Amino acid sequence: MSLDPILPPGELDHALAHTVEALFALQRSDGSWEGRLSASPGATADVLIAMHLADPHACQDLIRRGLDFLLRTQSADGGWGDDVDTEPTLNGTALSVAALALIAPDEAAEQIRRGWAKVEEFGGTAAIRDVEQCSLTVLVHFYLVLAGLMNDEGLLRCPIELALLPAPLRRKLTFAMPTALSWGLMCAALMPGGRIRTVLNKAATPKAIEYLAGLMGFEGPDGGFVESPMMSANVCIGLTIARQRPDIVRHCLNYFRATIKPEGGWAVTRDLEVDATNFITTGLQHAGLGDDARVTKAVEWIRSAQRDEEFIWTGAPSGGWGWGLPSGWPNSGNTGDAVIALAGDGAGIEDNQVRHGTEWLLRQQNYDGSWSCFAQVGRIATMDPSFAMVGKARSPKVLYGPCAVMSAEAFSALALSGRCRADDEPLRKAYAWFAKVQRADGAIENKWYLGQVCGTGSVLRALGDAGLGDSTVARRCVSWLRLNQNDDGGWGDALGRGHSTVEETAMALLGLCAAGVTAYAPTLARGARWLVDNRGADGLWQSSLLGVYFLELLYRHDHTANGYALQALARYRSSTGTRPDTFDQPRWAVTS
């Protein structure tokens, strides 16, 4: 790393040109980017168990590849993490052990022994039964029962009566609902109970099946439940054991074949192509490439991904964006980012799609001014039905309510599109919510990324986008980011103090630039220097395990790192006052 924190314009130009060239090389023919998530041991174990129970003969080739993936990725200490080559977790280790013990007990005997020893280090069966230590306690415990490694004492029931909730309340339940209902059907078959339970099961069963079948219809022939191999595996397992809807089971098996990774495993969810295309497109626009035909094509792809139908499963209106096609659920983050990209292309509220997207955001704003991911939250908080699966509703691990990053993205979209001014009620309410949740030291937590940097930087960026970079909340965000910059110039409180990550550094730098901090301030100069110096040889960055998926499962996404880092460096360059009128190839090309 260079000892000089100041980036000369020529060096920054060279770095940006290299990154842009690399990203354009990865652009797909339709104008989008893949947005790759790597294979997860836990998700792979879940899918393997589903295929083994549903149709082991037809899935023999996939099962073999998945087993090889687990055998190959076990860490030296016997455990498995939420991703390959990451710190072992109780969830990842116990799920992997269960799959191996159920499917290949003889072949994998040594790996199972070493994995179970790691489970014992985590606290053994007592820890697995404790939701505070094992967030996936219901899944893990049940799979270990199937594998003969635990007894069923204390096994939690998934209440199928969730299907009997009134439609308005049921629509507030978030993306664990397919798992909860399919496992509710399974529990009704395995643990029928007494007379009252029998009556409830009989009444709820057709409603649960109707919900799952309707959601499958929304997904189309190529989609998966919540666009997730792991969620689809849970549905497959529940219906297989309940002996219900073999057509839905076959739908899930087809989805597993379509979503296996080259390395032989499955990710927690399908690739985040909308996120990736939104992030990178906005970065290219900040770099002055908005008129490039390749960027224009990306914008058109973003337009094509807007949902023109209501999403009845969460009560969301038409006009939103999900994270992937064909059936990523419409949510505040993707919708906000898509509107930001369209605004960056020059589209304002006179544009039908921008108007529709901003209307979606306004209708989804919570009563307190914040935004959640999928559903609007009233005074009674939106509940994730996973609370019923783990025995208690814990926030933020189980209760998916307001999120600072989601709120910041919606805030920026409404401001940049021209839909709302800073003194209009929606943004005034949102600002009041930011002030309410800001910690005494100036940091702002969030639900969908680890640590405090992402929330603090995102809110600061949003306030700057709306012309509120000198507001009280913004000034306190700036102060906190300055005080919490690592010695190496980056940011990264999520993985331990002193461990800088690309995503956190980029989000911090974006916020500081948007708030108007001078580019030559040491804080900004050192952050930009860190990003430039920590690129790979190809001009891109290494992603970190920061994304929070479901019940504490983590994931890494390549273009969260690349897209935000590009945005940060391009915005930093603009703040130096030396940005060219256009980012054209002759002026910015890497010369040999």
Side-chain angles (χ1 to χ4, degrees), residues 192-264:
R195 183 178 300 175
I196 295 177
R197 172 64 61 188
T198 300
V199 171
L200 285 173
N201 291 347
K202 184 176 181 180
T205 291
K207 290 185 176 294
I209 293 173
E210 180 185 13
Y211 177 97
L212 294 168
L215 191 53
M216 185 180 73
F218 165 80
E219 295 158 356
D222 300 322
F225 284 92
V226 202
E227 275 298 2
S228 164
M230 191 166 192
M231 294 293 185
S232 299
N234 297 338
V235 171
C236 182
I237 290 166
L239 294 179
T240 296
I241 294 177
R243 297 184 182 278
Q244 296 280 0
R245 294 302 297 261
D247 59 321
I248 298 179
V249 171
R250 179 57 52 190
H251 176 82
C252 294
L253 296 178
N254 291 338
Y255 184 71
F256 302 148
R257 188 167 293 280
T259 55
I260 189 170
K261 296 286 185 179
E263 57 265 45

Side-chain angles (χ1 to χ4, degrees), residues 162-163 165-182 211-212 215 219 225-228 231 234-235 311-316 323 327-332 360 364 366 371-378 380-389 393-403 406 447-448 548-551:
L162 286 171
L165 290 173
L169 182 56
R170 191 169 64 245
R171 291 190 186 107
K172 298 295 185 183
L173 300 175
T174 61
F175 71 157
M177 193 66 166
T179 294
L181 289 184
S182 56
Y211 177 97
L212 294 168
L215 191 53
E219 295 158 356
F225 284 92
V226 202
E227 275 298 2
S228 164
M231 294 293 185
N234 297 338
V235 171
F311 190 66
I312 62 173
W313 293 273
T314 61
W323 61 89
S327 56
W329 288 20
N331 64 85
S332 300
W360 191 98
Q364 291 295 98
N366 298 329
W371 279 266
S372 303
C373 186
F374 298 110
Q376 184 186 42
V377 175
I380 299 176
T382 293
M383 294 183 298
D384 189 305
S386 51
F387 81 89
M389 299 168 63
R394 298 175 305 149
S395 179
K397 298 175 182 176
V398 180
L399 209 65
Y400 288 97
C403 173
M406 296 281 175
K447 292 184 182 299
W448 294 91
V548 180
Y549 178 58
F550 169 70
L551 286 176

Side-chain angles (χ1 to χ4, degrees), residues 352-393:
N352 286 335
Q353 289 191 265
V354 171
R355 185 171 64 253
H356 206 181
T358 54
E359 286 172 356
W360 191 98
L361 291 170
L362 291 172
R363 288 182 60 181
Q364 291 295 98
Q365 187 174 21
N366 298 329
Y367 80 98
D368 61 3
S370 66
W371 279 266
S372 303
C373 186
F374 298 110
Q376 184 186 42
V377 175
R379 293 185 181 275
I380 299 176
T382 293
M383 294 183 298
D384 189 305
S386 51
F387 81 89
M389 299 168 63
V390 298
K392 62 178 76 174

